[in-house]
Amino acid sequence: MAEGVDTPTAILASAAAALRENPFDDISYRALGDAVGVSERTVYRHFPTRSHLLEGVAGWIESTEFPLPPFVTIPQFQEASRARFLAFDASPAFAFVCARAASISPTGESEATFFTRALVAMLATNYPSVNERDLRRVAATLRYFASTQFWARMRTGFDLSAPEISDAFDRTVAQALSGLPTLTRTSR
């Protein structure tokens, strides 16, 4: 194991590397332990079920292969999402693993993710008169349509490419935001 890397991170990196050659279901805990230099039992201690491992690998892949650039404005969010759709097209096996993980019941913390909090903050800044519940509803909509799940459904269900998925995404963002009151600033 590389010096300075913790065991769970090494296991996730090893699992992601194994995904380049094998489907997720063919990756064994024993092989992960051997690759990292720990026992199979240690792998189970960190990831007690396949769902835990899948969720962990997906999170690792999302942060290393598909990081979402920072955004403050809605156009920046749209551009960042379009760039991710292109990245998903470039590494579809990784993107499909992330989409699969997103479709299982969460095994981790139920706290809102950084991405969700960033969406709510962006919307609150652009639409200050909208109540918290409606901000969360629109944020949930935007989050889904920027996700690997949406990309995977468009790729497999409609055989759309990243640019075509981006067009559908942009129309959805416009529709989701159309009902919100626009921000008007007064000059000082």
Side-chain angles (χ1 to χ4, degrees):
M1 182 166 43
E3 194 173 314
V5 176
D6 63 24
T7 301
T9 301
I11 293 167
L12 295 175
S14 179
L19 283 171
R20 295 190 185 282
E21 298 177 15
N22 301 300
F24 177 79
D25 292 332
D26 291 348
I27 299 170
S28 74
Y29 276 45
R30 179 179 302 254
L32 290 175
D34 290 346
V36 175
V38 298
S39 70
E40 181 178 7
R41 183 179 180 122
T42 299
V43 177
Y44 274 105
R45 194 173 318 123
H46 291 288
F47 303 99
T49 67
R50 300 285 294 173
S51 293
H52 287 95
L53 180 62
L54 178 62
E55 189 174 39
V57 170
W60 190 87
I61 290 170
E62 287 262 357
S63 66
T64 60
E65 300 291 322
F66 308 127
L68 188 66
F71 58 88
V72 177
T73 67
I74 291 165
Q76 288 172 339
F77 165 67
Q78 288 177 283
E79 184 56 38
S81 297
R82 286 191 293 268
R84 284 185 80 207
F85 292 143
L86 290 171
F88 297 158
D89 267 9
S91 296
F94 277 173
F96 281 115
V97 166
C98 294
R100 178 178 171 189
S103 69
I104 64 171
S105 296
T107 59
E109 298 177 20
S110 61
E111 180 182 320
T113 65
F114 174 78
F115 181 42
T116 300
R117 291 189 310 269
L119 283 171
V120 171
M122 175 191 70
L123 291 168
T125 300
N126 287 281
Y127 302 95
S129 63
V130 176
N131 67 51
E132 184 69 23
R133 187 190 79 221
D134 288 340
L135 286 177
R136 287 194 326 254
R137 285 180 180 172
V138 173
T141 299
L142 297 181
R143 181 185 168 101
Y144 173 74
F145 285 101
S147 72
T148 53
Q149 282 181 297
F150 175 69
W151 172 87
R153 290 194 189 285
M154 296 298 102
R155 288 287 287 162
T156 59
F158 300 100
D159 196 28
L160 298 180
S161 66
E164 293 168 320
I165 294 168
S166 293
D167 288 343
F169 169 75
D170 287 340
R171 287 191 301 276
T172 301
V173 170
Q175 181 66 36
L177 299 177
S178 68
L180 298 178
T182 58
L183 174 66
T184 55
R185 296 181 189 250
T186 56
S187 302
R188 291 184 185 203

